[in-house]
Amino acid sequence: MLGNFSYSNPTKLYFGKDALDGLNEELPKYGKNVLLVYGGGSIKKNGIYDKVIKILKDNNKVVFEDAGVMPNPTSDKLNEGIERAKKAKADLILAVGGGSVCDYAKAVSVSVNCNDDAWDKYYIRFEDVTCDIIPVGCVLTMVGTGSEMNGGSVITNHEQKLKIGHVFGDKVFPKFSVLNPEFTLTLPKYQMVSGIYDIMSHILEQYFSGEDDNTSDYIAEGLLRSLIHSANIAVENPSDYEARSNIMWTATWALNTLIAQGKSTDWMVHMLGQSVGAYTDATHGMTLSAVSMPYYRYILPYGMAKFARYAVNVWGVNPDGKSQEQVANEGLDAMEKWMRKIGLVMNLTDLGVKEDMIEGIVKGTFVMDGGYKVLNADEIRQIIIKSC
Ligand code: NZQ
Ligand code: ZN
């Protein structure tokens, strides 16, 4: 394990079919005004809204609503939410939805008591939180981002064509999250599969880096094996509770800071995907799947030993009598075959990327330096073009 670190995660999780009952334990801890934040209406169709409202009323809460949080929430919507939270004098923000709703709730929570422009402060200048935070709780309905147990909050600014994530410290993590796998069963298959790849990508971003022997990498391999196994079942039968519940739990542990401990991390697939997202507004996980294979094939020579280990330990490639390079490539071949099988989008053209967007996407891609290769603009351009 590299370096020194302290570790704790403040989010309390309630998991399982009765997880929503956890709200009865949590709500009494906060004042009476609750800002209920949700998306475009799926929670009204599947009955989750009614269940949550009943528990809020039973706990004598005054409920204010902020609906219409779109996938890939925008800076304009964030400004609207800040005003709503101010008017409500919210004591708690309850996010009911997927990563977008949960990320948005965190962005509102750190901005309500702050006079600066939230986009400029947190997403351009990357400043720390210097004002009082409104606590956030989350009822998760879409699996993938890990937002239910982390400080991540990704906001898109359409005018500036930028999609940027701020990873806040543990004061901004949800105080509690409700994870009922049954709440995810109404997700369209496209969203489920996209979420599955988001989980895989989170694990790989933290796995493909470093040459040290590290417990976090062994945990990552276990999570990956569980994810692939359960995803195969869920794609065949989306209502399989066992598989969906495993995927939900894997998603949380894939990005709740655990497997990043004591090692360097990459995050270039996300940087590429986010820049694509700023131009296309495409579904997050699909932006990642579309750029992943060209990216991994490009960096493979720089991290050959780890790619070979990945092939053997995750994809079951038999290394006997083969060169390291051959093993490593067979691993990526197996991954690509699986990605196609579960129905992921494998190129940027299918997400609406046009030739005249490429330069902007290259420019909007943040370069990270924790992986096997620090990319320059030419290399980013090559990867984007290969992904089209
Ligand atoms: O808006 P509604 O009507 O609720 O519909 C949503 C939305 O259209 C629908 N949905 C959610 N739960 C459903 C459901 N439909 C039917 N039944 C249900 N139970 O699914 C659609 C997508 O939801 P969204 O919240 O956008 O998806 P996701 O959870 O993938 O979140 C994506 C956002 O999270 C960011 C992404 O960049 C993107 O902005 N990320 C956040 C991270 C973090 N906090 O650490 C890390 C990730 O890498 C990611 O960047
Ligand atoms: Zn992601």
Side-chain angles (χ1 to χ4, degrees), residues 310-362:
Y310 172 64
V312 174
N313 291 356
V314 176
W315 294 103
V317 172
N318 180 356
D320 292 349
K322 295 173 193 160
S323 69
Q324 197 177 58
E325 187 178 356
Q326 197 179 349
V327 175
N329 276 305
E330 281 184 28
L332 287 189
D333 292 345
M335 176 179 168
E336 181 171 349
K337 196 168 156 203
W338 177 80
M339 288 170 76
R340 292 187 189 283
K341 187 182 90 177
I342 69 168
L344 289 161
V345 176
M346 298 300 282
N347 68 76
L348 291 175
T349 311
D350 288 351
L351 295 179
V353 171
K354 306 258 179 328
E355 218 180 321
D356 62 2
M357 296 178 185
I358 290 175
E359 272 321 300
I361 293 173
V362 172

Side-chain angles (χ1 to χ4, degrees), residues 196-383:
I196 287 168
Y197 191 71
D198 193 18
I199 304 166
M200 174 169 272
S201 180
H202 293 158
I203 304 171
L204 295 181
E205 299 272 34
Q206 297 165 93
Y207 181 77
F208 284 126
S209 46
E211 265 129 38
D212 51 312
D213 185 32
N214 188 305
T215 297
S216 293
D217 287 335
Y218 294 84
I219 301 173
E221 287 167 352
L223 290 174
L224 285 165
R225 294 219 304 269
S226 167
L227 177 68
I228 294 162
H229 173 77
S230 294
N232 288 338
I233 296 167
V235 167
E236 285 300 313
N237 178 13
S239 56
D240 188 303
Y241 178 86
E242 187 173 54
R244 297 297 291 270
S245 64
N246 285 333
I247 294 169
M248 192 171 212
W249 192 235
T250 302
T252 302
W253 289 91
L255 194 54
N256 69 355
T257 73
L258 176 77
I259 63 168
Q261 298 306 318
K263 71 182 306 276
S264 68
T265 54
D266 183 358
W267 294 108
M268 265 323 290
V269 169
H270 271 68
M271 295 305 106
L272 292 158
Q274 276 177 207
S275 193
V276 168
Y279 278 78
T280 59
D281 210 23
T283 301
H284 171 64
M286 297 306 190
T287 65
L288 307 176
S289 60
V291 299
S292 279
M293 290 322 297
Y295 175 69
Y296 286 129
R297 291 201 190 280
Y298 186 79
I299 62 160
L300 180 142
Y302 304 94
M304 187 78 82
K306 193 63 160 287
F307 279 95
R309 171 178 164 174
Y310 172 64
V312 174
N313 291 356
V314 176
W315 294 103
V317 172
N318 180 356
D320 292 349
K322 295 173 193 160
S323 69
Q324 197 177 58
E325 187 178 356
Q326 197 179 349
V327 175
N329 276 305
E330 281 184 28
L332 287 189
D333 292 345
M335 176 179 168
E336 181 171 349
K337 196 168 156 203
W338 177 80
M339 288 170 76
R340 292 187 189 283
K341 187 182 90 177
I342 69 168
L344 289 161
V345 176
M346 298 300 282
N347 68 76
L348 291 175
T349 311
D350 288 351
L351 295 179
V353 171
K354 306 258 179 328
E355 218 180 321
D356 62 2
M357 296 178 185
I358 290 175
E359 272 321 300
I361 293 173
V362 172
K363 226 172 120 208
T365 301
F366 288 74
V367 178
M368 308 299 272
D369 61 5
Y372 288 119
K373 174 81 177 72
V374 180
L375 300 181
N376 61 36
D378 275 347
E379 293 171 314
I380 292 174
R381 188 176 300 103
Q382 273 180 50
I383 290 165

Side-chain angles (χ1 to χ4, degrees), residues 8-12 149 170-176:
S8 71
N9 189 312
T11 305
K12 180 159 182 181
M149 203 184 194
D170 59 8
K171 285 199 180 74
V172 185
F173 284 37
K175 299 289 176 238
F176 60 88

Side-chain angles (χ1 to χ4, degrees), residues 109-149:
S109 97
V110 296
S111 306
V112 176
N113 296 311
C114 147
N115 293 325
D116 290 328
D117 178 81
W119 169 259
D120 286 345
K121 179 177 169 70
Y122 295 119
Y123 297 93
I124 297 294
R125 299 199 302 271
F126 278 96
E127 287 177 15
D128 288 336
V129 184
T130 46
C131 52
D132 286 346
I133 292 169
I134 302 181
V136 170
C138 167
V139 176
L140 195 68
T141 67
M142 149 96 201
V143 170
T145 64
S147 190
E148 66 274 16
M149 203 184 194

Side-chain angles (χ1 to χ4, degrees), residues 39-42 46 69 71-73 98-100 103 106 141-142 145 147 150 152-154 163 183-184 186-188 191 198 202 255 270 274 284:
S42 69
N46 59 22
V69 179
N72 312 317
S100 292
D103 279 18
K106 291 177 210 169
T141 67
M142 149 96 201
T145 64
S147 190
N150 70 34
S153 172
V154 183
K163 180 177 186 185
F183 286 0
T184 71
T186 52
L187 270 174
Q191 292 293 342
D198 193 18
H202 293 158
L255 194 54
H270 271 68
Q274 276 177 207
H284 171 64

